[in-house]
Amino acid sequence: MALVKRKGITISRQLMDEQRMFPEATGALTALMADLVVAGKIISAEVNMAGLADILGQSGRTNIQGEEVQKLDVFANKTFKRRMEQCGHICVMASEEEEDPVPALPGYEGNYTIAFDPLDGSSNVDVNVSVGTIFSIHRRLSPPGGPGTEADLLQPGSRQVVAGYIVYGSSTMIVYTSGSGVHGFTLDPSVGEFFLSHPNIQIPELARYYSVNEAYWPYWNDNIRDFVDYLRGSDKGHVPCSARYIGSLVSDFHRNLVKGGIYMYPRDTRSADKTAGKLRLLYEAAPLAMIVEQAGGSAVTDDGRRILDIVPERLHQRVPLIIGSKQDVAVALRFLKGER
Ligand code: AHG
Ligand code: MN
Ligand code: MN
Ligand code: MN
């Protein structure tokens, strides 16, 4: 649906307009998203004053990923879980910070599932660098009523109903798609509302930036190395990209989405758990893949599989990820096949 840049469209207005496109819609998804937006506002307020509250630094815990959990990871996870478990429209949820599926509160089960990365870019929280939240919503497969199942969560990204992220940066933005284009909303903290600021985002076909942690160069295969060399302008006639790597996937992805770019986290040989890269399919790669395809870009693994086609086998399954401007992802695939 082409969005005209009418002044002052709030995210609630946009969600209602999208609901009206489906006569059979019950309003459940709109209500779910309204609660998700509240969670985003709460986390944004906390992130923006993290330096003042006792909310920085490590929590002293390690999560299922084997990572040191930051206090803001815990806060964001608790906030999202609390809003979602009682919103009445979720039957089960998956979180990066929860080893197992989390059911809705008894009596509050609904017909959707949500998978989320409550705080993406945790290593950046106490150095005042932008971080984010990523979310992915599916329809439940199990019969309505009662708690959802793990199978409700293990669906391919192509079946997502809504995919989005919140980036807590110089401003707080929500960017999401429900299959009718990608729209960005910026929080006006003085009124506590998200207003449409980026209607119908389309990712430029050509990358201006490339985002990859080049410290892992020694652990990549030759095809990835050759492609990064190409991005640096080694091929005659190829305009070199600028390197930009923030270390928060959401922030690197958002810049590349708006300005044109390619983000890569390939598999590497550093350690056993990096043989499929670091990023998680359910709540990092799949939602961003839906967004980038809706914006005219591509998202694949480093052996050429389309991210949205992958059927998850485990909740925290990792996948290698190459995502961004269509032309550069296509060139990446040629390099990865050993073609030049
Ligand atoms: P998270 O903070 O949710 O665990 O995700 C961190 C991810 C991603 O945000 C970022 O791009 C990547 O890890 C950085 O990994 P490296 O430090 O290995 O580059
Ligand atoms: Mn983490
Ligand atoms: Mn993450
Ligand atoms: Mn995280």
Side-chain angles (χ1 to χ4, degrees):
M1 173 180 81
L3 255 188
V4 291
K5 195 162 183 174
R6 285 175 289 155
K7 278 271 164 261
I9 296 182
T10 61
I11 191 166
S12 338
R13 163 86 280 123
Q14 171 58 22
L15 289 163
M16 284 304 294
D17 288 351
E18 287 178 357
Q19 177 186 320
R20 262 202 284 280
M21 289 162 57
F22 303 95
E24 73 287 359
T26 62
L29 191 56
T30 304
L32 197 180
M33 286 294 290
D35 274 309
L36 185 148
V37 167
V38 172
K41 289 178 186 173
I42 294 169
I43 297 169
S44 172
E46 203 66 16
V47 165
N48 288 334
M49 55 167 232
L52 299 173
D54 174 25
I55 193 93
L56 287 181
Q58 291 168 10
S59 68
R61 290 166 36 191
T62 306
N63 65 11
I64 173 67
Q65 323 286 342
E67 302 165 337
E68 282 159 358
V69 177
Q70 305 294 318
K71 288 179 185 171
L72 263 181
D73 281 322
V74 174
F75 177 84
N77 187 48
K78 218 162 47 187
T79 301
F80 235 82
K81 265 198 325 183
R82 190 162 296 153
R83 302 303 315 183
M84 292 294 105
E85 67 187 4
Q86 56 187 314
C87 76
H89 301 295
I90 291 289
C91 60
V92 66
M93 54 186 120
S95 163
E96 181 206 355
E97 304 303 334
E98 300 287 339
E99 182 164 0
D100 302 313
V102 179
L105 286 185
Y108 285 83
E109 297 89 353
N111 295 321
Y112 293 96
T113 73
I114 189 166
F116 56 90
D117 177 356
L119 200 82
D120 174 72
S122 314
S123 60
N124 282 324
V125 282
D126 37 12
V127 291
N128 206 9
V129 171
S130 65
V131 293
T133 297
I134 311 172
F135 57 90
S136 165
I137 298 170
H138 282 275
R139 273 189 196 79
R140 78 182 296 174
L141 299 173
S142 54
T149 63
E150 186 168 69
D152 285 321
L153 290 163
L154 297 180
Q155 298 185 54
S158 54
R159 301 191 34 193
Q160 290 174 99
V161 179
V162 176
Y165 59 85
I166 306 166
V167 52
Y168 312 104
S170 45
S171 62
T172 293
M173 275 190 72
I174 289 188
V175 176
Y176 82 90
T177 181
S178 61
S180 326
V182 179
H183 311 302
F185 297 80
T186 299
L187 179 64
D188 175 343
S190 65
V191 296
E193 259 302 349
F194 282 96
F195 289 99
L196 179 67
S197 53
H198 298 68
N200 296 312
I201 299 174
Q202 286 293 302
I203 185 169
E205 288 245 340
L206 265 179
R208 275 177 59 190
Y209 300 105
Y210 76 95
S211 310
V212 67
N213 188 337
E214 300 191 50
Y216 307 142
W217 178 281
Y219 309 105
W220 293 334
N221 67 38
D222 288 341
N223 289 337
I224 284 280
R225 289 179 184 156
D226 291 348
F227 179 56
V228 171
D229 247 355
Y230 161 84
L231 291 171
R232 291 167 172 166
S234 58
D235 279 20
K236 276 174 285 316
H238 174 70
V239 177
C241 298
S242 288
R244 290 281 190 286
Y245 192 73
I246 298 171
S248 297
L249 168 61
V250 169
S251 310
D252 281 314
F253 176 82
H254 181 69
R255 180 207 47 250
N256 293 347
L257 180 72
V258 173
K259 298 208 165 177
I262 183 165
Y263 175 101
M264 296 187 292
Y265 206 112
R267 73 188 75 222
D268 65 49
T269 57
R270 256 176 307 158
S271 58
D273 68 349
K274 292 293 179 298
T275 50
K278 172 181 185 181
L279 300 175
R280 284 58 55 117
L281 174 59
L282 230 56
Y283 41 78
E284 289 176 314
L288 297 186
M290 180 178 180
I291 292 173
V292 85
E293 288 202 4
Q294 281 282 315
S298 309
V300 296
T301 59
D302 60 6
D303 52 9
R305 286 171 294 153
R306 180 179 174 243
I307 292 288
L308 292 183
D309 292 339
I310 301 174
V311 180
E313 289 157 18
R314 298 179 311 285
L315 227 45
H316 303 292
Q317 177 173 335
R318 297 173 193 265
V319 280
L321 178 64
I322 299 175
I323 187 169
S325 295
K326 193 181 209 92
Q327 287 193 26
D328 294 85
V329 173
V331 173
L333 289 180
R334 286 210 309 273
F335 273 85
L336 291 168
K337 287 183 197 141
E339 296 159 13
R340 288 295 175 267

